[in-house]
Amino acid sequence: MQLTSEWLNQLPLPQIQTTRAVSGGDINDAYQLETVEGPYFLLVQPGKSASFYAHEVAGLKALSQAANVPEVIATGEIDNDAYLVLEFLETGHGSQYELGQTVARVHHVTAKQFGFNDNNLVSTLPKNNTWQDDWTTFYLQQRLDPLVQRAQERHLWNASRQTAYDRVRQAIIAENQHRQIQPSLLHGDLWAGNYLFTADGIPTLIDPDVLYGDREFDLAMTTIFGGFTADFYRGYQDLYPLTTGYTERLPHYQLYYLLVHLNLFGETYGEAVDQTLARG
């Protein structure tokens, strides 16, 4: 999207001097804005209403209870384009141990049920966050099952995958039956691209897709694509030790993220899904 001066002048910001397109993930158009008062980070979603960023704003507010996050400056709609203005953070280097402790502090924020106050309807794969008393019900019916159904509709599913999934589904029910699972605040998309260290080394969480759920679900994402060292897990465990059987349950949570990628990118992720189902 090419931002015009007329569009930019409608932002509730001091005089904008320059704009520069930057990386903002695969969903948003992202820009660094230089103003007379300093830099800002702008996300734009063309052709969407202001509500597009409601879940992200709510997520940043929730995470801010326990972690450093970019401050929300403004959000709204200009000429039928949704926008979100955030504090611009200069990045640097920091401690993976401290990052692990930050995530552990986030997971210590709890609720009485599993889910969140609003649904994430803006992503390519909308998520139903309706509150549930039971985590297994939430995870199966509001996360895994919809992805399997979508894969079937897109002809990315077959009988052998369904047989394996049915077996894994029963295993998840069985393994959670006697667990005491706390509804912990989760980042929801905790891969290496969604954290940074500020210029002074403070671990910072960005681009959340929050919910209250099993904290192991959040940690599973950290194990798939790399970017988290042994120090991260040591920092986490020192503050919030994981319970027995954590490593055996990981594949059942990795499965969700791999199913997301199967639906988004196709059979490129088919082998990884099959291998994870086989471990079930």
Side-chain angles (χ1 to χ4, degrees), residues 3-21 31-42 44 73-74 78 83-85:
L3 298 181
T4 65
S5 57
E6 290 81 5
W7 195 100
L8 289 165
N9 288 338
Q10 295 180 69
L11 288 170
L13 293 175
Q15 182 184 345
I16 297 171
Q17 299 169 320
T18 62
T19 65
R20 180 172 65 89
Y31 305 88
Q32 180 181 345
L33 305 181
E34 289 293 341
T35 76
V36 292
E37 293 183 358
Y40 293 93
F41 185 63
L42 170 68
V44 179
I73 307 299
I78 295 174
Y83 73 85
L84 173 62
V85 180

Side-chain angles (χ1 to χ4, degrees), residues 1-2 5 14 30 79 110 121 130 134 136 140 178 183 189 197 203 223 257:
M1 175 180 175
Q2 186 65 41
S5 57
D79 297 344
T110 59
L121 302 178
T130 301
D134 177 64
T136 304
L140 293 177
H178 302 294
D189 191 16
F197 296 103
T223 67
Y257 297 106

Side-chain angles (χ1 to χ4, degrees), residues 189-196 206 221-222 225-228:
D189 191 16
L190 194 58
W191 69 290
N194 284 344
Y195 75 79
L196 58 83
I206 62 173
M221 182 58 166
T222 70
F225 299 116
F228 298 84

Side-chain angles (χ1 to χ4, degrees), residues 135-146 165 168-170 172-173:
W135 168 249
T136 304
T137 300
F138 180 93
Y139 184 55
L140 293 177
Q141 296 183 10
Q142 294 170 226
R143 286 300 185 266
L144 288 185
D145 289 352
Y165 176 64
V168 167
R169 207 177 184 283
Q170 289 305 310
I172 292 171
I173 293 170

